[in-house]
């Protein structure tokens, strides 16, 4: 053995748990709940998965607002099914998050006390029926772009939950776009309503991809753990490039005077995003932050007696069964 | 009063002829509610024809840190595989 070989041999044996762990991820192996993992990996995943779960659950509120006022039975069953899917997404994700050793109760606690965040987009109000179209088309559309890469993320339970989520998202976006098509082809008032919704949801949708790469703190680490495959700016560009033609197709105008096709980069150049607005909403000063949190906390607190009654009933049934057995 | 619903693991048979597969977990007060919740959460699009639920605390899982000792005994038993046995090329259907 040459000196160099001996050195390499020695190094191989002194690989730390953490290095072995990183190599497993680099080899595209999945990490499963009981595997050893660095504390930072566990924490980062609890943060991201729970934030994702909270977003699904809070995301039900703006759309839930219109279920009883949907303009037809067809629209109503679709919206109802969509909102129910979002509840399902939240539950898949909470269940994935709990495998990292945090309880559902702690997760809710973090949301209700403001310790955990959820996607800022849900802090905007849904003022007309056209908002149901714009949300499905743009918000679910942006979510799909963010979520598809997560189907192959390194943490097994998260990846499996995301595969199920992504399968269901496509209907969400299509039902939204269909609403927009119908309004855009309707009366002048209806078309105006569709345009107004696009005007209000466009910029917040672009913000859903997060701060620009220059400002983003987590990107390098997230790439390594496959929580990210592309940067925020790349994903944002992809969203713009695929959405602009969809707007043109139905005769709606993207509310950005600087939007222009750039032949060289084969993509659109676009105007400046108002990041001050973004940070204001993140910090809790969006138009509906308070309303959303009040709704969540109320649902949890006012549901406590139901949860207790169900447990009492379950115990009673169990006791009855035991008595019968004796 | 803290009265949290316990956690249940959900297994779904997607169609007859296939085994039940782990789908995820769910909170519910009792087994019956766990079945109903699992139906709503995991089979909204005909993903299953049968569901099992079992309270998570009743599952005993092997520890990945002991995988070495646990699975190593099978590793050197190559005689359990058909390729271990040498047969003349002329033998057909074997
Ligand atoms: Fe969703
Ligand atoms: Fe969705």
């Amino acid at each position: 053995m040459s000196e160099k070989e001996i050195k390499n041999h020695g190094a191989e044996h002194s690989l730390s748990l953490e290095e072995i762990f990183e190599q497993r991820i680099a080899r595209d192996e999945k990490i499963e709940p009981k595997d050893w993992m660095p504390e930072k990996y566990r924490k980062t995943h609890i943060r991201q998965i729970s934030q994702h779960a909270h977003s699904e659950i809070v995301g039900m509120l703006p759309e839930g607002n219109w279920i009883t006022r949907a303009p037809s039975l067809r629209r109503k069953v679709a919206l109802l099914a969509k909102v129910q899917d979002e509840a399902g997404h939240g539950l898949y994700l909470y269940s994935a998050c709990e495998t990292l050793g945090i309880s559902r109760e702690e997760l809710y606690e973090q949301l209700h006390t403001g310790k955990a965040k959820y996607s800022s987009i849900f802090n905007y109000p849904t003022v007309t029926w056209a908002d149901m179209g714009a949300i499905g088309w743009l918000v679910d559309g942006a979510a799909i772009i963010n979520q598809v890469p997560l189907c192959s993320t390194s943490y097994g339970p998260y990846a499996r939950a995301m595969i199920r989520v992504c399968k269901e998202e496509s209907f969400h976006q299509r039902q939204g776009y269909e609403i927009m098509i119908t309004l855009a082809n309707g009366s002048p008032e209806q078309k105006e309503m569709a345009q107004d919704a696009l005007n209000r949801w466009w910029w917040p949708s672009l913000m859903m991809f997060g701060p620009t790469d220059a400002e983003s703190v987590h990107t390098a680490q997230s790439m390594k753990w496959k929580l990210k495959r592309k940067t925020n700016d790349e994903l944002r560009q992809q969203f713009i490039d695929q959405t602009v033609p969809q707007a043109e197709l139905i005769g709606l105008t993207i509310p950005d005077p600087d939007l222009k096709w750039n032949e060289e980069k084969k993509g659109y150049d676009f105007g400046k995003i108002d990041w001050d607005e973004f940070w204001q909403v993140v910090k809790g000063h969006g138009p509906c932050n308070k309303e959303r949190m009040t709704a969540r906390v109320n649902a949890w607190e006012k549901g406590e007696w139901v949860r207790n009654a169900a447990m009492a009933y379950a115990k009673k049934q169990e006791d009855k069964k035991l008595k019968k057995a004796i | 009063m803290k009265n949290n619903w316990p956690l249940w693991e959900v297994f779904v048979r997607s169609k007859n002829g296939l085994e039940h597969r782990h789908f995820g977990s769910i909170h519910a007060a009792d087994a019956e509610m766990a079945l109903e919740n699992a139906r709503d959460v995991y089979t909204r699009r005909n993903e299953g024809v049968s569901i099992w639920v079992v309270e998570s605390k009743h599952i005993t899982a092997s520890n990945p840190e002991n995988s070495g000792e646990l699975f190593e005994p099978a590793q050197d038993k190559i005689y359990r595989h058909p390729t271990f046995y040498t047969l003349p090329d002329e033998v057909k259907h074997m």
Side-chain angles (χ1 to χ4, degrees):
Chain A
M1 232 184 240
S2 76
E3 208 174 305
K4 199 173 159 208
E5 272 170 338
I6 293 170
K7 241 188 190 162
N8 281 340
H9 196 71
E12 227 172 75
H13 282 269
S14 63
L15 278 183
S16 67
L17 275 173
E18 190 152 352
E19 285 166 315
I20 296 170
F21 177 85
E22 298 292 352
Q23 286 182 354
R24 287 183 61 196
I25 294 182
R27 278 197 304 269
D28 261 336
E29 271 180 48
K30 296 288 180 205
I31 306 302
E32 295 295 344
K34 297 190 85 179
D35 292 348
W36 182 88
M37 60 184 80
E39 210 32 45
K40 195 165 169 231
Y41 182 91
R42 182 186 303 278
K43 287 219 172 96
T44 304
H45 277 75
I46 288 178
R47 182 167 26 82
Q48 169 152 346
I49 302 172
S50 67
Q51 196 169 310
H52 196 160
H54 299 326
S55 302
E56 302 282 354
I57 297 298
V58 177
M60 296 163 75
L61 297 168
E63 289 179 295
N65 180 32
W66 280 91
I67 291 173
T68 56
R69 292 175 288 161
S72 70
L73 185 58
R74 187 176 190 275
R75 293 286 184 232
K76 190 178 198 158
V77 291
L79 184 59
L80 196 54
K82 195 237 185 219
V83 172
Q84 196 189 4
D85 271 355
E86 305 302 2
H89 298 175
L91 292 173
Y92 307 153
L93 289 162
Y94 280 131
S95 120
C97 198
E98 283 172 270
T99 64
L100 289 162
I102 185 165
S103 72
R104 181 72 61 90
E105 213 200 354
E106 284 172 88
L107 290 169
Y108 286 160
E109 169 90 14
Q110 291 180 352
L111 172 66
H112 296 163
T113 55
K115 203 183 145 211
K117 298 262 174 270
Y118 56 89
S119 181
S120 279
I121 193 84
F122 302 118
N123 290 316
Y124 290 87
T126 45
V127 293
T128 74
W129 168 252
D131 290 4
M132 299 304 98
I135 289 181
W137 175 31
L138 303 173
V139 177
D140 288 83
I144 291 171
I145 289 180
N146 269 330
Q147 288 170 350
V148 166
L150 290 171
C151 294
S152 54
T153 192
S154 65
Y155 188 55
Y158 192 25
R160 292 191 286 275
M162 288 319 299
I163 289 171
R164 208 166 289 136
V165 167
C166 285
K167 267 192 199 152
E168 298 178 351
E169 285 295 350
S170 156
F171 130 65
H172 298 179
Q173 194 188 18
R174 291 173 67 116
Q175 66 89 37
Y177 191 60
E178 197 193 81
I179 292 173
M180 294 304 264
I181 298 175
T182 310
L183 291 172
N185 291 322
S187 67
E189 289 85 356
Q190 286 173 321
K191 183 165 185 182
E192 173 57 40
M193 200 162 101
Q195 182 63 54
D196 168 65
L198 172 56
N199 293 348
R200 283 179 291 107
W201 290 95
W202 176 252
W203 291 103
S205 297
L206 296 191
M207 295 175 196
M208 280 178 72
F209 298 95
T212 56
D213 295 349
E215 305 272 318
S216 184
V217 262
H218 301 300
T219 300
Q221 179 76 85
S222 298
M223 291 271 187
K224 213 165 70 182
W225 288 341
K226 297 172 186 172
L227 280 168
K228 261 204 175 124
R229 289 273 153 117
K230 288 181 182 170
T231 69
N232 295 353
D233 287 336
E234 286 169 332
L235 294 171
R236 191 167 11 246
Q237 186 70 50
Q238 184 185 335
F239 174 77
I240 294 170
D241 292 346
Q242 76 179 41
T243 309
V244 173
Q246 294 167 354
E248 281 169 358
L249 190 71
I250 55 177
L252 297 179
T253 312
I254 302 285
D256 179 358
D258 296 324
L259 190 80
K260 216 176 115 215
W261 177 255
N262 180 331
E263 183 58 32
E264 208 173 309
K265 76 169 186 189
K266 298 273 176 228
Y268 286 90
D269 290 331
F270 53 96
K272 249 179 94 145
I273 295 173
D274 183 357
W275 291 111
D276 285 344
E277 175 184 324
F278 174 76
W279 290 114
Q280 279 302 310
V281 183
V282 170
K283 284 181 188 133
H285 312 300
C288 299
N289 296 58
K290 273 221 183 80
E291 192 184 324
R292 301 290 182 241
M293 249 338 88
T294 310
R296 275 312 308 156
V297 173
N298 270 344
W300 181 244
E301 285 177 356
K302 291 187 178 156
E304 188 175 10
W305 72 271
V306 180
R307 296 193 298 278
N308 289 342
M311 281 306 280
Y313 176 76
K315 192 170 180 309
K316 217 164 139 188
Q317 294 301 101
E318 196 58 34
D319 291 348
K320 245 193 217 160
K321 237 196 265 167
L322 279 176
K323 249 189 217 150
K324 247 193 208 154
I326 303 164
Chain B
M1 182 172 63
K2 287 267 141 61
N3 217 342
N4 294 317
W5 291 355
L7 192 65
W8 302 72
E9 298 303 319
V10 178
F11 300 83
V12 176
R13 184 202 295 290
S14 42
K15 64 176 190 192
N16 275 5
L18 294 179
E19 60 279 77
H20 285 76
R21 195 163 58 80
H22 185 241
F23 263 46
S25 57
I26 198 91
H27 286 269
D30 57 25
E32 203 184 324
M33 188 197 281
L35 270 182
E36 283 165 7
N37 287 359
R39 192 256 334 249
D40 288 344
V41 173
Y42 292 105
T43 64
R44 285 192 304 284
R45 288 176 178 79
N46 299 314
E47 287 93 338
V49 294
S50 160
I51 304 176
W52 291 346
V53 290
V54 58
E55 219 183 312
S56 308
K57 68 174 184 202
H58 295 311
I59 289 186
T60 308
S62 64
N63 183 345
E65 271 159 48
N66 303 333
S67 291
E69 301 95 285
L70 197 60
F71 299 109
E72 190 273 330
Q75 253 161 36
D76 59 356
K77 296 180 178 52
I78 47 170
Y79 46 85
R80 284 177 175 165
H81 299 278
T83 45
F84 179 74
Y85 301 92
T86 21
L87 299 182
D89 288 346
E90 301 83 69
V91 184
K92 301 288 180 222
H93 307 297
M94 202 180 278

